[in-house]
Amino acid sequence: RPSTRLSRGAEGAAECARRRHAAPEELARLLRRELEWIPLKAMRKDRAERYQTPSEMADDIRNYLGGRSLLAGPETASYRVQKFIRRNRAGVIAVSAMAALLVGGIAGTGYGLVRAEARRADAVEALGRAEDAERESAARARDLEQVVAFQSAQLSGIDAAAMGERIRERIVEERARSLGARGVDEKGVRTAVRGLEGELSGVNFTDVALDTLSEQVFGRALAAIDARFGDQPLVRARLLQTAASTMREIGLHEAALAPQTVALDVRRAQLGADHPDTLASINGLGLLLHSRGHLAEAAPLYREALAGRERALGADHPDTLSTRTSLGVLLWMMGRHDEGVRLTRDTVDGLRRTAGADHPDTLAAIGNLGGMLHLLGDLDGAEPHLRESAEGYGRVLGEAHLSTLIAAGNYGRLLLDLGRASEAEACLRGVVETSRRVLGDAHPATLTSINNLGGMLWSLGRLDEAEGCFREAIDLGVWSMGESHPDTLNSLHNMGGLLWQMGRHDDAERHFRQALDGLRRVLGDDHPETLNVLGVLCRLLAETGRQEEAEALSAEFGERTGE
């Protein structure tokens, strides 16, 4: 038994106890009886005596945490009564005191004995009802878990950009139908529809979709959680965490901050800093701040979650590896490239060992590592990683999957830098074609693929073709996502750089300023993308002899970056 091994000083006992901040004998006392009954039942030689399903074992762990009798415990009435008394200590003490008074008042009479027997029967019946209620409560909790998991899976799959595009299409379709029903001829309908499409081109329907989801779905859900589960803090925290994670995944970063913060605060207070659920919320807040561009605030949260998960779950647990992945990318984005590469290499090694080379998480980490090496100029080191990521995604998820298309685009850009121009062009044109066919012109991945193709043509000196790609990416971005979307702003930045090289300085400045103004509004003055465009515009102004303006921007850049 674990408790016996600890009490006898088995090898590693002292270290095991130290990690849990306890003496070996204290840990042995904690393990003895119930806590070790669960793993011992799971390992019984007779299959019929083990837990029959993983969920049955999970139920018994919940029984232990809730102070209920265990399936792994002895089938005795005394054991069940002891558990009932521990859970309901105050009530039992009150009942016992009342029973003592009654017994003292009627001792020695046959009537009293009959009443005592009746009370005993009532107590047994009450115990049975209490245990039935517990089982019903546990069943309701499991049902709630399943509902939460189902709803989370459904909502996390929402594509806000596609939803927004469908809203735009429905508006146009409804306008055409309405005109046709009123007897307008086909030519008149086409003219009216073109005019409506022009008016709608400046509307960001992705934001419309997100606002609708925020108000009609998540706003109502959060209000219902607070109203219904205000007196059940851990259930409330779990639901809020699920909502916050889903909102972050679909792009509702600002709205996700409040439920994410509350979920973390409740779990810290109720469960402590080292509980896996608390660590999940710490990591979730780090992811949210990372997504919003608050890199310096996200870093300590990632480090806290990583240290806690390494202690509680182990270095190779999927949750630990997930946090290490996020921290590696964050450090890279903060300019701490050596740390970012080291952590990402460690993550790749851990995922290869535990999840396997073809797991999507492994392929994502491999792609991250290849991208970092590419940006550091280690092209030969990056090539096998980016190739493995692209080929692995194609094999596992299919050539038309979004992850495959992104990985193939990354590999295509590397091929260009390696001097393999014909391979690069074939790769990037294939990504554009597949993205258009599978995802549609309005999808962000399609816009990224068009931008990548434009960048390749620019590198090859085919500037007019590159301008056509960047112009299309800007027009599609404004049409589908609005002029303030980060992808649209990235296209404006690219076009500004191309126009600068073509000697069209006024046009270049106009695109840079439009991108900079949008990034300030959307990502903030201190976001790396904002600062990047600020630095480029500063150099353009200096090159064109506008020293005073350039110096003003240079001073702002230095103040915000410390350079």
Side-chain angles (χ1 to χ4, degrees):
R1 290 175 178 268
S3 60
T4 304
R5 292 175 59 82
L6 277 170
S7 62
R8 293 179 179 174
E11 182 179 356
E15 176 63 16
C16 182
R18 185 191 65 77
R19 290 182 180 179
R20 288 156 181 79
H21 309 290
E25 58 273 13
E26 292 174 337
L27 190 57
R29 283 196 298 273
L30 178 64
L31 285 173
R32 195 167 292 122
R33 287 175 56 83
E34 289 188 320
L35 192 53
E36 67 183 356
W37 286 351
I38 296 174
L40 290 175
K41 179 177 176 65
M43 297 188 295
R44 285 177 184 168
K45 293 182 179 180
D46 188 341
R47 183 183 299 274
E49 294 181 359
R50 301 177 201 159
Y51 294 108
Q52 298 303 300
T53 64
S55 61
E56 190 174 273
M57 182 175 177
D59 289 342
D60 227 10
I61 293 172
R62 294 190 187 96
N63 288 337
Y64 173 79
L65 294 173
R68 296 180 288 274
S69 56
L70 304 185
L71 297 174
E75 292 295 330
T76 63
S78 63
Y79 169 65
R80 292 197 301 272
V81 170
Q82 288 173 18
K83 297 300 294 184
F84 179 77
I85 290 172
R86 288 176 187 170
R87 287 195 311 277
N88 303 277
R89 186 175 300 275
V92 169
I93 290 173
V95 171
S96 299
M98 182 66 71
L101 290 173
L102 290 171
V103 170
I106 59 176
T109 68
Y111 178 70
L113 292 174
V114 171
R115 291 287 303 275
E117 177 61 25
R119 289 191 188 89
R120 190 195 67 79
D122 289 344
V124 171
E125 183 180 353
L127 176 59
R129 287 197 302 269
E131 291 192 335
D132 288 343
E134 283 186 4
R135 283 191 290 270
E136 182 180 351
S137 177
R140 286 199 303 269
R142 287 194 296 271
D143 290 343
L144 179 61
E145 291 279 343
Q146 292 175 358
V147 170
V148 168
F150 173 77
Q151 291 180 339
S152 175
Q154 295 300 306
L155 291 172
S156 63
I158 290 175
D159 185 333
M163 184 177 176
E165 172 57 17
R166 185 55 185 153
I167 292 172
R168 190 195 68 80
E169 290 175 353
R170 288 296 300 274
I171 292 173
V172 172
E173 290 170 2
E174 182 61 24
R175 177 62 171 162
R177 187 203 63 76
S178 175
L179 291 171
R182 287 159 45 191
V184 177
D185 61 25
E186 186 175 340
K187 181 178 179 181
V189 170
R190 286 199 303 271
T191 301
V193 165
R194 281 197 298 271
L196 176 60
E197 289 178 334
E199 293 174 4
L200 295 176
S201 64
V203 178
N204 187 337
F205 280 97
T206 300
D207 284 350
V208 172
L210 288 173
D211 288 344
T212 302
L213 288 169
S214 180
E215 294 172 7
Q216 300 300 318
V217 177
F218 291 103
R220 294 183 178 184
L222 293 174
I225 290 169
D226 287 340
R228 184 174 177 185
F229 300 103
D231 58 346
Q232 297 174 263
L234 290 179
V235 174
R236 177 175 175 244
R238 167 163 172 70
L239 294 171
L240 289 175
Q241 181 59 62
T242 299
S245 298
T246 305
M247 294 165 79
R248 172 180 53 78
E249 288 172 4
I250 67 173
L252 288 170
H253 298 150
E254 189 69 30
L257 184 59
Q260 177 64 76
T261 303
V262 173
L264 175 55
D265 290 345
V266 170
R267 284 175 163 177
R268 278 194 193 275
Q270 296 283 324
L271 302 173
D274 284 336
H275 191 282
D277 287 351
T278 307
L279 295 170
S281 291
I282 293 170
N283 189 71
L285 182 56
L287 288 169
L288 182 57
L289 293 172
H290 188 168
S291 300
R292 298 177 70 204
H294 301 320
L295 308 186
E297 297 175 53
L301 290 164
Y302 280 155
R303 291 192 185 279
E304 182 181 1
L306 179 59
R309 283 177 160 175
E310 286 177 341
R311 285 193 306 271
L313 305 174
D316 282 345
H317 190 279
D319 291 347
T320 307
L321 293 170
S322 174
T323 303
R324 190 177 292 126
T325 296
S326 300
L327 180 57
V329 171
L330 179 78
L331 292 172
W332 171 272
M333 293 176 67
M334 295 175 71
R336 297 161 67 172
H337 296 156
D338 290 343
E339 288 182 85
V341 169
R342 177 180 57 78
L343 274 175
T344 305
R345 283 192 190 278
D346 290 345
T347 304
V348 169
D349 293 342
L351 287 168
R352 285 189 191 277
R353 284 194 306 271
T354 58
D358 279 347
H359 192 281
D361 289 348
T362 310
L363 295 171
I366 291 170
N368 287 343
L369 179 57
M372 291 174 184
L373 296 174
H374 183 186
L375 291 172
L376 286 174
D378 183 4
L379 306 186
D380 292 333
E383 196 277 339
H385 294 97
L386 291 178
R387 174 164 42 82
E388 180 180 4
S389 179
E391 292 177 353
Y393 274 130
R395 185 171 58 251
V396 174
L397 301 178
E399 297 298 329
H401 192 277
L402 176 59
S403 296
T404 306
L405 295 171
I406 293 172
N410 293 337
Y411 186 50
R413 292 201 304 274
L414 175 69
L415 290 172
L416 178 65
D417 290 343
L418 284 168
R420 296 156 62 178
S422 59
E423 293 178 74
E425 183 169 358
C427 177
L428 294 177
R429 288 193 182 280
V431 171
V432 171
E433 180 182 346
T434 305
S435 296
R436 288 186 192 277
R437 174 170 48 83
V438 176
L439 303 175
D441 285 343
H443 196 280
T446 303
L447 301 183
T448 298
S449 68
I450 294 172
N451 265 315
N452 288 343
L453 179 60
M456 183 210 70
L457 295 168
W458 182 5
S459 299
L460 294 176
R462 294 154 63 178
L463 304 187
D464 290 340
E465 293 178 74
E467 182 180 358
C469 286
F470 290 150
R471 178 63 59 199
E472 182 182 15
I474 293 170
D475 292 342
L476 287 175
V478 171
W479 172 60
S480 62
M481 295 179 293
E483 60 185 13
S484 295
H485 193 278
D487 288 349
T488 307
L489 299 172
N490 180 54
S491 298
L492 286 166
H493 180 196
N494 290 339
M495 177 66 90
L498 176 66
L499 293 171
W500 184 0
Q501 183 172 336
M502 296 173 76
R504 295 158 57 180
H505 294 155
D506 290 344
D507 287 341
E509 181 185 349
R510 178 169 52 83
H511 283 81
F512 284 145
R513 288 194 181 277
Q514 190 174 348
L516 179 60
D517 290 344
L519 289 168
R520 286 188 193 274
R521 288 194 308 274
V522 176
L523 300 179
D525 291 335
D526 294 326
H527 193 279
E529 292 295 329
T530 306
L531 294 172
N532 184 28
V533 178
L534 179 65
V536 171
L537 178 59
C538 179
R539 292 195 297 273
L540 174 63
L541 293 173
E543 182 178 303
T544 55
R546 296 158 65 180
Q547 294 299 327
E548 188 173 337
E549 295 176 76
E551 288 174 5
L553 288 180
S554 179
E556 180 185 356
F557 184 85
E559 180 182 346
R560 298 192 179 281
T561 62
E563 297 180 4

